[in-house]
Amino acid sequence: MSIESVAVIGAGVMGSGIAAQIANAGKKVLLLDIVPKDAENRNVIAQSAIQKLLKAKPSALMHKRNAKNITAGNLEDNLNQLADVDWIIEVIIERLDLKQDLYKKIDAVRKPGSIVSSNTSTLPLAVLTAGLPDSFSNDLLITHFFNPPRYMRLLEIVSGPKTQQQAIDTLSHFCDHELGKGVVHCNDTPGFIANRIGAYWMQTAMLDTMRLGLSVDEADTLSGKPMGIPKTGVFGLIDLVGIDLMPHILDSLVHSLDKNDAFHEQAIIPDVVTKMIAEGYTGRKGKGGFYRINKTSGKKVKESINLDTGEYATSVKPSLESLKPAIAKDLQKFLSFDDKGGEFAWSVLSKTLCYSAGLIPEIGDNIEAIDRSMKLGYNWTYGPFELIDKIGVDWFIDKLASTQLSIPPLLAAAKGKTFYRFHDGQRQCLTLSGDYQTLTREDGILLLSDIKLQQQPVKKNASASLWDIGDGVLCLEFHSKMNAIDPDILAMIDTAVDIIPNDYKALVLYNEGSNYSVGANIGLALFAANVAAWPQIEAMVKSGQDTYKALKHAHFPVVGAPAGMALGGGCESLLHCDAIQAHAESYIGLVEVGVGLIPAWGGSKEMLSRWMTNPKRAKGPMPAISKAFELISTATVSTSAQEAKGDLFMMPTDGISMNRERLLFDAKAKALALLDGYTPPVKLELTLPGPTARTALNLAVTSFVQSGKATAYDGTIADQLAMILSGDDTDIDELHDEDDLLTLERKAFMTLIKNEKTLSRVQHTLETGKPLRN
C-alpha cells in the first residue's frame, strides 16, 4: 500500500499546517472543515486557511505553487470524497464525543484499508477507539505532529493492540521519506514522550525560577546553552508555544496521570501567569509574554517580566558567576557551583533527568526513543540519557545520593557504565536489565556521526576533515565556527582534489552542523584591511577562486549536500559542484552585498552563467544579466530548496531530501550515479554587452536610491556588480571565459574592501550579526 492522496479534517493552524507539509511533498490534499452558520461560501474556513498559508511568515509552504495541491471543502458537501484518499487525518477540537462522532461519519464513506489517524496530543488511542468496530480500530492510529509541522521534525506515532502492522509500516515510511519526519513510536500514555517530559521540564524550571528569585533572563540563559537547550530557554519557549496553552496541557496530564506521578508536584500555575493570560499576555501571538518588545520610544526595546511584581523592565544580560565560561562549559562544575545559578541548574536537571529515567518502559521501549523525541521535538542538543552520559553517570548518581534524592531503577542499573556505547563496531544502549541492546539505523540513513565512531578521518585540519563514507566516496566536512569558509577549508578542498583521482571516485560536501555554512570568514579580511594588507587580501580572494575553479573542473563528480543556511562563500562552494542534493530546509543565497562586498569566489560568475545558459530565459543577454543582478544585489536567500531551484541556486536536475537523516545517503548515491561516463564541465565562454548593460542596471538602482529604498553606497556596490555582469569595458562580440570574469570579481572586491563604508558594514555585522545601511 502507498499513500498518494490525503484528507485533513480541521483547517485550524495545526490542520492547515499539516496539509501544507503534505502539499510540500507533492501530494494532493483535501482540506475539510465545518460549514459556518449562514455562510454564503460553504468552504470559507478551509479556503481562508489556504489564503493564510500563502501569507504566513515563516511560510508553511516550501513554494507558493504548493498551495495548488490543496483543495478546500466542507464536511457536509465533500465528505464522500474521503472514499478517494489513502490517509485521513483528524485535527479537530480535543473533545472525545466530537471525535468519535466524526469517526463514524468517516467510516461510512472511506474505502477499505484507508488509514485514519488523529493528531490528538491529550487523548489516548484506547479511549479514542472505545466502542468503535474493529474494522475501524484496525486502521486508526495517533500521528502527533509538532507545531509548526513544516519545521518541527518530530512525529510521534501511537498504535494499539488492534492496529494493523501494514498501516503502521505504510504511515511510518510515508512520514519519514515524504514528509521528512523523525518518526518515534510511542506507547499509548498521557502526553506520549516529548510533551510528557517537556511539560515537566518547563514547569520545573518556571517554579524553580520563582523559588530561587531568579530573573527570566537569568533562568533562560542558565537553561540554554550550558544545558544544550536552544537559546530561547524555558520562558522564551513558552512564549513561542503560547502561555495560554500551558494550563490546558497541565489539566490534561493531571487528569490522565496516576496520582503518584511526580508530575503532579510541578503542575502549578503561578498567579502571575494566570494574570498574564487574563490580560492578553499570551506570548508572541499576544501582546507579549515573559518577554515583549516595547516600541514606545520609537526603538525596539526587549523587556522581560518580573515574576514577583508582574512589571516589565529592559532585559539585562545575566552576570551570575556560574555563567562564566570556565564554569558553564563544564557540566559537573556548573551543576555544583555555589550560587543561585548552580542551584537552579542542579534542581531543574536532576528532577528532569530522574523523571525521564523513571518513565522507561512506560512511555517508550528504549532510551533512544526518549532522547530522539526531545532532540527532534524540543530541539535539545542532547536527549536526557545522552545528557547524563555527558555529565557522568556515576557522578550524577553520587550527587543524587548526597542530596537524598531517589535514584530510578534504570539509573541505578547504569552505575559503572554509560547509557550509550560503541562496541564491536555497533552502537548500543543500556536496558532496564543492565544489559546493552544494539541500535540499528533504517535503510537509507547514513550519518557522519556514526562514521566517526568507526574510523579516523582520511585528512584533518582545524576547520575541515575528509571522511571515507564507502564505495570510493569521500565526504568533506566543515567544522569551523559556524562552518565559515576559511583558508583551512579551502586547503582541504585542494587536498581532496589532489588525492581523489588516485584513491577514490567522488566527493560529497556535507556536514551535520545546524547550517551548512554561513559564508566566508570575513573577520580575516577585516583584520587585513585594518592594516592595509591589500596584496594579502587579493591573494586570499584569488586563492578561493582557484580552489573553487579546481573543484568545478576536477576529474571526478562533486555533490554538494547542504542543510540549513548556505550563504555567501558557502553558497559559492555549491555553485561549483556538479550536482546538489539538498535538505528541503536549505536556505541558499549570495548575501555579500549586506557587508558591502560582492561574491568574488566565482559566485557572480556562476550565477551569470546559469541564467545566461538557462534554456527558458528570454532572448538576448539582458534578461539573464538582470536576473543575476537582482538576485545578488538584493542578497536574495531562498526559503527552501524548492525555491532555490527557481532562483537557479540549484538546477532542475538537483535533488531534494525531505528527511535530513537521509541527506548524506542520497548525496552519496547521486555522486555514484554521476560516475558512469563522467566528464568535467565544459569551459565557460559568454558574450556580454559591456558598458550599455552597466548603465541600464545602474539606472534601475538609481530609482531605489532616490526613493530612499537604497543608500548611495548601495548604489556604489551595485555599480561594481554591474561592472562584472556586463563584462566591463567590452565589445558585444568578445568572448569572456571564467578567468576573465574572475578577474572582474577580484577587481570589484578590491575596490569595495578599500572603502571605509564597507569596512564599517563588515565591522557592524561581526559585532551585531545584522547588516548596516550606510
Side-chain angles (χ1 to χ4, degrees):
M1 178 182 177
S2 63
I3 295 174
E4 297 301 327
S5 57
V6 181
V8 177
I9 302 176
V13 172
M14 199 68 191
S16 61
I18 293 170
Q21 184 63 0
I22 296 167
N24 288 335
K27 304 299 181 180
K28 298 297 183 182
V29 191
L30 177 64
L31 182 61
L32 305 180
D33 211 303
I34 61 171
V35 179
K37 185 179 180 181
D38 301 324
E40 292 184 11
N41 178 359
R42 294 171 65 81
N43 298 336
V44 64
I45 295 178
Q47 286 181 353
S48 297
I50 296 170
Q51 290 305 308
K52 288 179 182 178
L53 290 176
L54 287 165
K55 298 174 183 177
K57 298 293 181 183
S59 179
L61 296 166
M62 292 180 179
H63 198 289
K64 288 187 182 298
R65 65 168 176 261
N66 294 343
K68 295 178 181 179
N69 290 333
I70 308 174
T71 301
N74 68 75
L75 283 167
E76 294 178 20
D77 303 327
N78 305 104
L79 192 68
N80 287 341
Q81 291 178 240
L82 297 182
D84 301 324
V85 304
D86 304 309
W87 178 21
I88 302 162
I89 311 172
E90 169 267 300
V91 199
I92 68 170
I93 190 171
E94 295 286 77
R95 273 182 51 183
L96 180 62
D97 58 332
L98 295 180
K99 289 180 185 289
Q100 289 204 324
D101 181 59
L102 176 61
Y103 295 158
K104 291 171 186 175
K105 294 177 181 177
I106 291 172
D107 200 27
V109 297
R110 74 186 182 104
K111 65 183 178 183
S114 63
I115 299 170
V116 183
S117 73
S118 172
N119 188 59
T120 182
S121 59
T122 60
L123 297 171
L125 184 61
V127 173
L128 291 177
T129 56
L132 296 176
D134 286 352
S135 59
F136 185 80
S137 298
N138 290 345
D139 297 323
L140 181 65
L141 306 91
I142 289 173
T143 48
H144 181 217
F145 289 82
F146 280 65
N147 196 31
R150 169 180 166 182
Y151 299 98
M152 297 304 294
R153 292 170 59 199
L154 178 62
L155 176 70
E156 294 177 320
I157 292 183
V158 179
S159 55
K162 297 178 181 178
T163 312
Q164 295 188 79
Q165 190 62 44
Q166 184 185 29
I168 299 170
D169 294 343
T170 299
L171 204 53
S172 298
H173 185 276
F174 179 83
C175 293
D176 172 348
H177 289 74
E178 304 290 340
L179 302 187
K181 296 302 171 187
V183 175
V184 174
H185 293 274
C186 311
N187 293 338
D188 192 15
T189 58
F192 313 130
I193 294 177
N195 281 345
R196 176 81 170 270
I197 295 172
Y200 179 91
W201 162 67
M202 289 190 290
Q203 280 296 118
T204 300
M206 180 165 61
L207 297 178
D208 278 348
T209 298
M210 300 186 72
R211 176 177 63 84
L212 293 167
L214 289 164
S215 71
V216 167
D217 298 277
E218 287 173 331
D220 276 351
T221 305
L222 289 162
S223 60
K225 188 175 180 180
M227 298 185 192
I229 288 165
K231 63 181 181 181
T232 52
V234 173
F235 292 99
L237 177 60
I238 298 174
D239 274 357
L240 183 63
V241 171
I243 298 171
D244 55 324
L245 292 181
M246 293 304 294
H248 298 290
I249 294 171
L250 295 186
D251 184 65
S252 171
L253 289 169
V254 164
H255 284 87
S256 304
L257 292 172
D258 185 273
K259 64 180 181 179
N260 295 317
D261 194 285
F263 190 93
H264 294 286
E265 299 172 11
Q266 309 300 329
I268 301 167
I269 300 294
D271 291 340
V272 66
V273 174
T274 302
K275 183 171 180 286
M276 288 170 69
I277 295 171
E279 294 177 353
Y281 286 92
T282 54
R284 295 190 186 183
K285 65 183 179 183
K287 295 189 290 184
F290 294 108
Y291 296 97
R292 73 177 185 185
I293 302 298
N294 189 332
K295 301 177 182 178
T296 55
S297 65
K299 297 181 179 180
K300 293 182 179 181
V301 179
K302 184 181 179 182
E303 296 181 337
S304 51
I305 197 167
N306 184 307
L307 295 173
D308 291 327
T309 67
E311 300 295 323
Y312 285 91
T314 302
S315 292
V316 178
K317 184 177 180 180
S319 57
L320 294 166
E321 287 290 315
S322 50
L323 286 171
K324 290 185 174 179
I327 304 299
K329 289 184 177 181
D330 184 321
L331 274 172
Q332 291 185 9
K333 289 181 180 178
F334 181 57
L335 297 174
S336 304
F337 198 78
D338 188 17
D339 73 352
K340 289 191 299 182
E343 185 178 350
F344 171 84
W346 170 251
S347 180
V348 173
L349 268 191
S350 62
K351 292 173 187 172
T352 302
L353 298 180
C354 284
Y355 186 66
S356 302
L359 293 176
I360 298 284
E362 178 193 345
I363 64 173
D365 295 333
N366 61 61
I367 65 172
E368 189 191 36
I370 278 70
D371 281 346
R372 186 169 161 80
S373 294
M374 297 312 295
K375 290 191 290 185
L376 295 178
Y378 279 75
N379 288 326
W380 288 14
T381 304
Y382 311 102
F385 299 97
E386 292 173 327
L387 201 48
I388 296 173
D389 274 352
K390 192 171 178 63
I391 294 167
V393 174
D394 289 356
W395 185 93
F396 187 61
I397 290 173
D398 290 344
K399 186 162 175 62
L400 287 172
S402 70
T403 52
Q404 283 77 53
L405 291 172
S406 60
I407 300 171
L410 179 59
L411 187 56
K415 189 170 179 61
K417 304 175 182 177
T418 56
F419 280 104
Y420 292 93
R421 72 176 187 180
F422 188 75
H423 183 71
D424 290 339
Q426 295 180 316
R427 295 169 58 249
Q428 296 182 332
C429 72
L430 197 68
T431 66
L432 262 175
S433 65
D435 299 324
Y436 284 92
Q437 67 180 60
T438 298
L439 299 169
T440 57
R441 301 285 187 196
E442 291 195 21
D443 290 343
I445 293 179
L446 178 64
L447 298 178
L448 205 53
S449 56
D450 290 348
I451 290 169
K452 291 178 181 181
L453 295 173
Q454 304 173 47
Q455 60 176 258
Q456 294 297 312
V458 175
K459 297 285 183 181
K460 182 177 182 179
N461 63 31
S463 299
S465 299
L466 285 172
W467 298 93
D468 186 341
I469 59 174
D471 299 311
V473 181
L474 285 186
C475 173
L476 198 156
E477 175 199 22
F478 307 158
H479 46 73
S480 59
K481 184 177 181 181
M482 300 180 74
N483 292 332
I485 311 295
D486 62 13
D488 279 343
I489 289 177
L490 297 177
M492 191 58 70
I493 295 174
D494 289 336
T495 298
V497 170
D498 288 340
I499 68 174
I500 288 177
N502 299 320
D503 302 307
Y504 300 93
K505 299 175 182 177
L507 178 66
V508 172
L509 306 183
Y510 164 90
N511 63 71
E512 289 169 3
S514 300
N515 296 299
Y516 172 79
S517 173
V518 297
N521 186 340
I522 57 174
L524 296 174
L526 178 64
F527 176 81
N530 284 334
V531 295
W534 310 123
Q536 288 83 350
I537 292 176
E538 187 162 7
M540 287 167 58
V541 177
K542 182 70 161 57
S543 173
Q545 291 180 338
D546 291 344
T547 294
Y548 283 172
K549 182 182 175 184
L551 186 71
K552 179 178 180 178
H553 296 287
H555 292 276
F556 53 83
V558 180
V559 174
M565 291 189 289
L567 307 177
C571 173
E572 288 177 295
S573 73
L574 299 174
L575 294 177
H576 289 81
C577 292
D578 294 292
I580 295 174
Q581 181 72 34
H583 180 230
E585 297 299 344
S586 292
Y587 317 119
I588 307 174
L590 296 168
V591 297
E592 286 85 348
V593 296
V595 292
L597 297 169
I598 50 88
W601 280 347
S604 301
K605 172 256 301 181
E606 286 299 313
M607 287 307 293
L608 177 63
S609 170
R610 287 175 178 225
W611 282 99
M612 289 287 281
T613 57
N614 179 18
K616 295 182 179 180
R617 73 177 175 92
K619 292 182 179 180
M622 282 309 295
I625 292 172
S626 297
K627 188 62 181 179
F629 181 79
E630 174 196 333
L631 291 169
I632 299 171
S633 65
T634 58
T636 297
V637 176
S638 66
T639 60
S640 69
Q642 289 183 23
E643 198 174 274
K645 286 193 172 190
D647 293 331
L648 295 190
F649 292 124
M650 292 174 60
M651 300 300 282
T653 52
D654 289 335
I656 297 174
S657 299
M658 292 294 282
N659 192 326
R660 184 165 182 177
E661 291 184 332
R662 298 185 178 278
L663 178 58
L664 182 56
F665 181 92
D666 293 345
K668 175 185 171 182
K670 183 172 281 290
L672 291 171
L674 292 172
L675 280 172
D676 187 26
Y678 176 79
T679 56
V682 296
K683 299 291 184 181
L684 172 68
E685 286 189 333
L686 298 174
T687 56
L688 299 171
T692 55
R694 182 175 183 178
T695 301
L697 294 174
N698 282 330
L699 281 173
V701 176
T702 299
S703 64
F704 283 101
V705 174
Q706 290 174 343
S707 64
K709 295 179 180 178
T711 68
Y713 193 60
D714 290 331
T716 299
I717 301 164
D719 176 60
Q720 290 300 305
L721 177 60
M723 181 270 290
I724 299 168
L725 300 179
S726 65
D728 198 12
D729 189 13
T730 187
D731 186 270
I732 190 66
D733 296 323
E734 184 180 347
L735 285 175
H736 290 264
D737 62 18
E738 280 185 277
D739 290 334
D740 295 332
L741 292 170
L742 291 173
T743 298
L744 294 180
E745 286 186 358
R746 286 200 307 278
K747 177 182 174 182
F749 187 94
M750 294 308 299
T751 298
L752 294 170
I753 196 70
K754 293 177 182 179
N755 193 301
E756 286 296 329
K757 291 194 173 184
T758 285
L759 298 182
S760 296
R761 289 191 177 197
V762 173
Q763 184 73 51
H764 186 268
T765 301
L766 288 172
E767 291 176 353
T768 68
K770 299 176 182 178
L772 171 69
R773 292 192 69 201
N774 57 356

